[in-house]
Amino acid sequence: QGNTIDLSCRRKKSRFAMGMRVELATDPDNGSESIPALLHDVSGGGVGVWCRRQFSQGTALSISDGGDSNWISGTVRHSSAGTDGYLIGIEFDETVCVEGGSASDETASNTRKSKSNRHGNEGRSRFRCPLLVARIAKGSVTGLVIASAVYVGLRFLDFEIFANEIAVGFAGAVIIGIGMGLLGARRETRFLSGITSAVDAFRATGEFPSPPTRNHDALRSALLNLATHHQQRAICDHIEQQKHVDTEETKSGILSIVSSDVRRPLEAIQQHAQVLREEVDSLSRNARLDLIETIAQEIHRIAEHVEDLDELQRLDAESSHNAQESTESCNLTETIANVVELFEPLAGERSIDLRLDSKGELPNVIASTDNVARVLKKLLANAIEQTQAGGAVIVEAAESSCELRVCVSDSGPGIPRERWSEAFERRTHGGSQEADRNHGQMLGAYVARRIVEAHHGRIWLDSEIAKGTTVCFTLPTVDTPVDEPQITDGLSADSRILVCDSDPELAAMMAQALRARQYRVTLSHCGAQLLQLLDNEPFDVVVTDLQLPDMGSQELLSALHSRQEQGFRTIVHSYDEHARDGAKTDVVAWLRRPANRPRLCEAVELATRKRFAHGKTIFMLEHGSLETRRLRTALEQAGHVVMSGVSMKEIQRLLECYSCDFLVLPDGAIGGDWNKLAELSFGEASQTQAILLVDEVRRSERSFEEQFNARAVAYRPGSEETVLAVIEPETVAAMSCA
């Protein structure tokens, strides 16, 4: 289309080799300015050289091997000091001249494709010609050797041989040898062509084609492993980048909190100090004392904010080093009473009824009394601040389900449901200053949550507009076992989880369990806030209840399905078992509410693995009759997600909770009785196929395959490819055709 390509500057790689001496010049026409250099590296688009002279990035530089006057132009892309001078990276120029104005994007694309095809054809001819010559030479030599051996044998046996017969024999042997060489060259050329076409297809489409021959299968597996490695590297880089973004957001959030919580006390101090300075002579002694007392209180509030920041820094440092709180067994009866007594004068000044309701003897807990006192002080201070004169603040403490529960209730204005989760977040979410003033709970509430969760407890609030707010926190008792923090694998760690549940206590339990495994959790308590968070922030997994106060189950599932292009995985946590029948298939797990901590963490781990994997979901029964560890490893290396069960009951639970593609069972698990497969409930819409691992596939077993939607596969440790062939039938079909 009117395009011409100038190839005068194209590099011939055969001219260069690592370690050879070359010459550099900024002006090739002036030979006296040439600079000697040592070739360090040869790559596809340029070279690296050691040079005594430094060149800045972007400098036009030419290189020659000194054999002739043909200089190759390039540009300096890298320059750094080293032990042998300066390491200079030079990228060669590739000039494309377009006649008649600038080319369109389509023309440029066609030009790039033609260049790519030309280089590909040159590469093919580059390895085909030497291979063909080598094969012909090898075949000729082989034929001559065979003919010579026959001739020597016949002479040794005293056969009379004529010259014509000798010539014909030698010529025939050479021809046969050349033919055998050509056949061998054809096979090798086909193999190399298959590699080239696979790489070209991957470069063009980003997907690996099926192997054209069996010999290419190992190469394909190696390329898949390489692609998986690069994918994991990309995910890790994304996680590190997200950590950096979160750190910046945290800094800006803390600055926002400080500017909001500290600015108001400073403004009050400034106003009262100005009044005191201007009216000191006209004010009475009591008025001056009131102003001074107000200033002292505001200074105390600022000191508390600074103390919160110090506490937050300490908690972050302990979290980054996986340190645990220094705790001991203690009884908090006296601690709670002392904190309530400390706030009685303040409540009395505001005509607020402050009461302590302690039901029965409080159990001992593993906690730090100072930290628990700090949490209770923050909750009481906020409750009194939000309660108007004539209202009431009630503190309740009692044992509940092997834990100590402490609740602080006020009769203030209340908090809307969509703002419940914001109370315990590190940063604000765009609320106005008036809203922050009314709803309190900012940095202090976040620090309180961090302290409670560091003691393996949880904290939440429940509120109703115009009726008040109740904030509760729990701590495990001495006899209650606690889950030690567990670190997830590199791909799942730091995944962002969005938990939505109408019950604030249950949502707090799920959030605490996931945060203990280093997941980053955001809470929501209504459908509108859930969808708003999904539209504003990236999440990896969504764990949601279907019975939300503002949205029906089908409406919520449809809204989540329409946002699947955002890349998150969905886990449903609900009482409604019938919603699964009409739901979309993009739900990873269905957990019956309330799910315990191990089941919740198991589902979230599976969802994060499915997000990063590109293969199938496979359930495998670990049965003592067959060693399947090698098979599990092979399946995971092929990019599939594998979950194990130790019994048929456990496999049934997995089938009820999760969507899967294949179920792998050793023959010993059913004892040859295929009817046991019918006892497993796969669901009406399930596409799960069972794979039965047997020693030998017999005719009787083939007859059951269609009846039970199962496949009998002969498997022994070391023959994992037979199972992979069933899971990846398209690969086997391509190999069979080849």
Side-chain angles (χ1 to χ4, degrees):
Q1 301 182 10
N3 297 335
T4 59
I5 302 176
D6 181 11
L7 301 177
S8 60
C9 297
R10 184 165 58 86
R11 178 170 64 95
K12 298 180 180 179
K13 293 194 295 184
S14 59
R15 293 178 53 189
F16 297 100
M18 289 186 292
M20 71 179 296
R21 297 191 177 276
V22 295
E23 294 181 357
L24 307 178
T26 56
D27 185 8
D29 296 332
N30 189 355
S32 61
E33 293 185 359
S34 62
I35 304 166
L38 184 66
L39 202 61
H40 169 69
D41 188 20
V42 180
S43 62
V47 295
V49 298
W50 287 106
C51 182
R52 294 295 181 182
R53 178 178 170 183
Q54 185 179 14
F55 295 93
S56 59
Q57 187 175 356
T59 302
L61 202 61
S62 299
I63 183 172
S64 174
D65 60 359
D68 50 34
S69 60
N70 185 16
W71 292 83
I72 299 178
S73 62
T75 305
V76 176
R77 296 303 183 190
H78 171 76
S79 179
S80 61
T83 57
D84 295 332
Y86 296 94
L87 180 60
I88 310 297
I90 304 174
E91 179 183 3
F92 291 115
D93 297 334
E94 291 185 358
T95 307
V96 179
C97 302
V98 181
E99 297 179 354
S102 61
S104 63
D105 293 340
E106 182 178 0
T107 302
S109 176
N110 292 334
T111 302
R112 287 192 297 269
K113 289 181 180 179
S114 64
K115 291 174 63 179
S116 176
N117 293 335
R118 184 184 69 253
H119 293 324
N121 293 332
E122 290 177 355
R124 294 186 184 96
S125 62
R126 187 178 298 118
F127 69 72
R128 280 179 180 174
C129 292
L131 180 62
L132 186 61
V133 172
R135 277 292 185 177
I136 292 175
K138 182 179 178 181
S140 301
V141 173
T142 303
L144 289 174
V145 171
I146 294 174
S148 300
V150 173
Y151 175 74
V152 172
L154 293 176
R155 294 288 294 177
F156 180 77
L157 296 175
D158 293 332
F159 277 87
E160 184 177 359
I161 304 175
F162 299 98
N164 292 336
E165 295 174 345
I166 295 174
V168 171
F170 273 85
V174 171
I175 292 174
I176 294 174
I178 292 175
M180 295 175 59
L182 290 176
L183 290 176
R186 182 176 179 274
R187 288 197 301 269
E188 295 185 7
T189 302
R190 183 185 177 190
F191 178 76
L192 295 175
S193 298
I195 296 176
T196 305
S197 61
V199 173
D200 290 342
F202 175 69
R203 180 175 57 186
T205 64
E207 298 180 356
F208 288 106
S210 300
T213 66
R214 294 184 181 274
N215 293 332
H216 289 87
D217 191 37
L219 176 63
R220 178 178 182 270
S221 300
L223 290 175
L224 285 174
N225 293 336
L226 181 61
T228 302
H229 173 72
H230 281 287
Q231 182 186 21
Q232 293 177 355
R233 287 289 302 274
I235 293 172
C236 293
D237 292 341
H238 173 72
I239 291 175
E240 292 298 327
Q241 183 181 5
Q242 189 63 42
K243 285 182 179 180
H244 177 71
V245 172
D246 291 342
T247 301
E248 295 299 324
E249 291 181 354
T250 297
K251 291 180 180 178
S252 61
I254 291 179
L255 291 177
S256 175
I257 291 173
V258 172
S259 63
S260 177
D261 281 9
V262 177
R263 183 176 61 250
R264 290 195 295 270
L266 288 176
E267 291 175 352
I269 292 173
Q270 183 180 8
Q271 294 173 0
H272 287 76
Q274 185 175 357
V275 171
L276 187 62
R277 181 183 60 185
E278 295 176 354
E279 308 292 339
V280 64
D281 296 332
S282 60
L283 293 175
S284 63
R285 182 176 182 276
N286 291 334
R288 292 196 298 269
L289 290 177
D290 290 340
L291 290 174
I292 294 174
E293 179 64 23
T294 303
I295 293 174
Q297 291 178 358
E298 298 298 334
I299 292 175
H300 178 69
R301 290 181 60 184
I302 294 177
E304 286 184 342
H305 291 315
V306 174
E307 187 178 0
D308 288 339
L309 291 175
D310 291 339
E311 180 71 16
L312 181 59
Q313 184 178 8
R314 184 183 66 83
L315 290 171
D316 288 339
E318 291 180 349
S319 176
S320 62
H321 292 86
N322 297 325
Q324 299 295 319
E325 284 283 349
S326 177
T327 57
E328 57 184 8
S329 176
C330 61
N331 191 286
L332 299 178
T333 303
E334 185 177 355
T335 301
I336 295 174
N338 292 338
V339 173
V340 173
E341 184 179 356
L342 182 65
F343 280 86
E344 286 180 351
L346 179 60
E349 292 177 2
R350 301 192 178 189
S351 301
I352 296 174
D353 182 17
L354 176 60
R355 301 195 305 270
L356 171 61
D357 185 4
S358 181
K359 300 178 181 179
E361 183 68 21
L362 299 183
N364 290 346
V365 296
I366 301 295
S368 168
T369 55
D370 294 338
N371 286 337
V372 175
R374 290 197 62 190
V375 172
L376 191 55
K377 288 178 182 178
K378 295 178 187 300
L379 300 183
L380 273 175
N382 182 77
I384 293 175
E385 182 179 355
Q386 302 305 314
T387 304
Q388 298 178 353
V393 175
I394 302 175
V395 180
E396 296 179 324
E399 182 178 7
S400 175
S401 301
C402 299
E403 60 186 9
L404 173 64
R405 175 178 299 194
V406 181
C407 297
V408 179
S409 304
D410 63 60
S411 56
I415 302 175
R417 176 178 286 268
E418 61 269 14
R419 292 183 60 88
W420 287 4
S421 59
E422 297 179 10
F424 301 105
E425 293 296 328
R426 182 196 291 260
R427 59 185 185 275
T428 59
H429 294 270
S432 63
Q433 293 184 6
E434 184 65 26
D436 292 335
R437 184 179 296 110
N438 291 337
H439 302 141
Q441 320 262 0
M442 293 181 68
L443 182 60
Y446 173 74
V447 173
R449 194 207 84 192
R450 291 289 302 274
I451 293 175
V452 170
E453 290 185 348
H455 290 81
H456 305 285
R458 61 186 187 275
I459 187 170
W460 71 93
L461 68 84
D462 194 354
S463 181
E464 188 174 353
I465 299 298
K467 291 188 178 181
T469 302
T470 299
V471 181
C472 300
F473 68 91
T474 64
L475 297 172
T477 60
V478 175
D479 299 330
T480 303
V482 296
D483 296 335
E484 294 296 330
Q486 299 183 19
I487 307 299
T488 57
D489 58 84
L491 297 182
S492 301
D494 292 309
S495 296
R496 303 196 62 176
I497 315 298
L498 177 57
V499 176
C500 181
D501 200 289
S502 58
D503 185 351
E505 181 179 1
L506 185 56
M509 184 276 293
M510 292 190 290
Q512 191 272 334
L514 295 175
R515 288 184 182 123
R517 290 178 174 254
Q518 306 302 314
Y519 292 112
R520 291 177 293 166
V521 183
T522 301
L523 288 180
S524 173
H525 301 287
C526 59
Q529 186 188 19
L530 168 66
L531 300 180
Q532 181 181 3
L533 288 171
L534 285 176
D535 293 336
N536 295 335
E537 302 179 36
F539 289 95
D540 300 308
V541 180
V542 175
V543 183
T544 181
D545 180 17
L546 293 182
Q547 298 174 339
L548 300 178
D550 61 338
M551 191 172 294
S553 59
Q554 294 303 322
E555 180 184 1
L556 176 61
L557 290 174
S558 298
L560 292 176
H561 179 71
S562 64
R563 290 170 170 79
Q564 281 300 312
E565 69 276 1
Q566 298 178 8
F568 63 85
R569 300 288 182 171
T570 304
I571 297 175
V572 171
H573 176 245
S574 177
Y575 294 118
D576 191 0
E577 298 180 354
H578 301 288
R580 183 172 185 174
D581 300 333
K584 304 294 184 180
T585 58
D586 48 31
V587 176
V588 174
W590 294 81
L591 302 182
R592 181 172 177 79
R593 180 177 175 170
N596 56 25
R597 297 164 67 99
R599 298 288 181 264
L600 173 66
C601 296
E602 175 190 71
V604 171
E605 182 180 0
L606 174 64
T608 55
R609 290 171 59 191
K610 284 183 66 67
R611 183 175 183 270
F612 297 134
H614 59 271
K616 309 289 186 180
T617 302
I618 303 170
F619 295 162
M620 180 182 297
L621 177 60
E622 300 288 352
H623 194 266
S625 61
L626 184 63
E627 176 58 54
T628 55
R629 286 181 297 180
R630 294 184 58 175
L631 177 58
R632 179 189 178 98
T633 302
L635 293 173
E636 291 178 342
Q637 289 179 350
H640 303 294
V641 179
V642 183
M643 292 188 66
S644 298
V646 296
S647 64
M648 294 292 284
K649 183 178 180 181
E650 181 71 10
I651 290 295
Q652 180 61 59
R653 183 191 67 81
L654 294 177
L655 291 173
E656 292 174 354
C657 296
Y658 305 104
S659 301
C660 79
D661 301 299
F662 292 94
L663 171 62
V664 180
L665 298 172
D667 184 40
I670 65 174
D673 184 5
W674 283 62
N675 291 319
K676 290 185 178 181
L677 293 177
E679 299 175 3
L680 295 174
S681 176
F682 294 96
E684 297 180 358
S686 175
Q687 300 296 325
T688 304
Q689 182 180 11
I691 298 177
L692 191 63
L693 306 180
V694 298
D695 293 332
E696 181 181 359
V697 181
R698 294 179 292 270
R699 182 179 301 176
S700 59
E701 293 168 338
R702 291 297 186 194
S703 62
F704 288 112
E705 290 183 340
E706 184 176 354
Q707 177 182 354
F708 294 98
N709 188 28
R711 284 287 303 275
V713 179
Y715 169 75
R716 294 178 182 273
S719 60
E720 287 73 25
E721 65 278 358
T722 58
V723 182
L724 288 171
V726 178
I727 296 175
E728 301 175 351
E730 64 280 357
T731 301
V732 179
M735 292 173 60
S736 299
C737 293

